[in-house]
Amino acid sequence: QVQLVESGGGLVQAGGSLRLSCTASGSIFVISTMGWYRQAPGKQRELVAAITSGGNTNYADSVKGRFTISRDNAKTTVYLQMNSLTPEDTAVYYCNAKRTLGPFNIQSDDWGQGTQVTVSS
């Protein structure tokens, strides 16, 4: 079990910036990947950015060059720095942690409660 606590969402005007934080607790030593997903009303949940335990990162094409994912030295907190925000970035942002369970590499996902990001024009 991994517990994820998110913070940093809110209201911002187009062109502004926000920084999201997610801190993991519990079975943190079996986490393989942490990242951020988002879901806008009427749309599917999509990957925004992710970082593996080895430090590799992945970004959605729509946020490359604007968003940066990072982690602290303990690898228990991840951040999403969001710059040059547009109304298209409006969504609920969810922190995600992926774990590998048991000897058969079964993947399990843990999710935060979600934090609302609203970008006005």
Side-chain angles (χ1 to χ4, degrees):
Q1 181 73 57
V2 173
Q3 294 80 46
L4 303 172
V5 180
E6 303 150 319
S7 64
L11 294 167
V12 65
Q13 291 191 320
S17 298
L18 286 173
R19 190 191 193 203
L20 306 183
S21 299
C22 175
T23 299
S25 62
S27 302
I28 59 176
F29 298 111
V30 297
I31 296 174
S32 61
T33 303
M34 295 188 69
W36 294 92
Y37 290 70
R38 67 185 181 188
Q39 187 166 25
K43 297 183 179 180
Q44 291 184 316
R45 186 174 298 186
E46 63 176 353
L47 174 70
V48 178
I51 185 166
T52 70
S53 59
N56 295 318
T57 58
N58 187 37
Y59 296 92
D61 288 340
S62 60
V63 307
K64 286 181 179 178
R66 300 189 297 122
F67 292 9
T68 303
I69 189 169
S70 61
R71 66 187 182 192
D72 65 3
N73 293 140
K75 301 181 181 180
T76 56
T77 301
V78 294
Y79 307 93
L80 186 68
Q81 179 67 46
M82 305 185 293
N83 298 326
S84 302
L85 286 163
T86 77
E88 297 300 318
D89 297 314
T90 295
V92 177
Y93 284 69
Y94 297 92
C95 184
N96 168 263
K98 297 185 183 297
R99 294 177 287 144
T100 301
L101 305 176
F104 304 108
N105 296 325
I106 298 173
Q107 288 286 328
S108 181
D109 284 274
D110 295 282
W111 298 89
Q113 295 286 334
T115 184
Q116 177 71 48
V117 172
T118 302
V119 184
S120 65
S121 59

